[in-house]
Amino acid sequence: MEAACTEIWFNELRFSRLDEKGGWAALGRIDLKMADLGTITVSGTAKTKGFGTLEQRVNERSREDNYTFDISANIEAGKLLPKKLGMQIPVYAGISRTTSTPEYDPYDLDITLKEKLKDLPSKKDSIKANAQDQTTIKTINLTNVKKMKTDGKKPKIWSVTNFDFNYSFIETSRHNPLIEEDNLRRTRGALGYTYAPQVKPFEPFKYLIKSRSRWLGLIKDINFNYAPSQISF
């Protein structure tokens, strides 16, 4: 009778003493109105790791520090010029930044980023920058820039007041643990023209029909425009 030898392993994995440290979140906004010149808006939000709703479990809570910052301005730049120039220059400018810093190092997932920064103080800035997911958006818009009529005269087909100009610039910069640098720039410009001639309509039956009859009035009021009502491109 041969002897038999057998090994049996029972593996059991348990979680204990989960990190239940909570986080915090906040938001703020400031609106500044500068009379008829325009408005400036500053806003920001923050949410740290460990933050979550009451219904969320520990493993469902945030594992990053998320911060957003936004500043924008709507300015009527024409107000800064002499009134006699009659310039209309609406300007929108804004910049926003979103930064997400993970709790664990994205290249060593079993080590917290805080511990890695502590062990390598000489490379602290570069390690933190490489671990973050950051997006920055810069925007400048000029909408319907034009010269307004200030002399009270009727516009001519060649008047500079018939022209309008639009311009937009958007720059998006991003980097994260997988993308070293991603830059995208978009620039657009457009020149428009609108002319609405003020032409008196031609009424061929106005002086031919003297009767005040309501039925003949329909014919009497017939009129034609011998010029287009608007020219635009």
Side-chain angles (χ1 to χ4, degrees), residues 127-197:
I127 293 175
K128 186 175 182 179
N130 292 335
Q132 289 179 330
D133 187 341
Q134 187 176 91
T135 301
T136 303
I137 302 175
K138 301 176 182 178
T139 306
I140 298 177
N141 290 331
L142 301 174
T143 306
N144 198 28
V145 177
K146 64 184 302 181
K147 187 181 186 312
M148 308 299 292
K149 291 288 293 183
T150 56
D151 54 9
K153 298 179 180 179
K154 294 182 179 180
K156 305 297 183 181
I157 194 171
W158 56 81
S159 298
V160 69
T161 54
N162 298 332
F163 293 89
D164 61 84
F165 175 70
N166 296 277
Y167 171 81
S168 68
F169 171 79
I170 300 176
E171 180 182 20
T172 303
S173 302
R174 183 187 179 191
H175 71 79
N176 58 37
L178 298 179
I179 302 174
E180 182 177 357
E181 186 176 6
D182 181 17
N183 292 325
L184 176 63
R185 292 184 180 89
R186 290 183 179 178
T187 303
R188 295 181 179 178
L191 180 65
Y193 175 87
T194 301
Y195 173 63

Side-chain angles (χ1 to χ4, degrees), residues 205 209-221:
F205 304 109
I209 301 176
K210 303 298 183 178
S211 174
R212 296 183 180 181
S213 171
R214 183 178 62 179
W215 303 107
L216 293 177
L218 296 175
I219 300 176
K220 184 179 180 180
D221 292 337

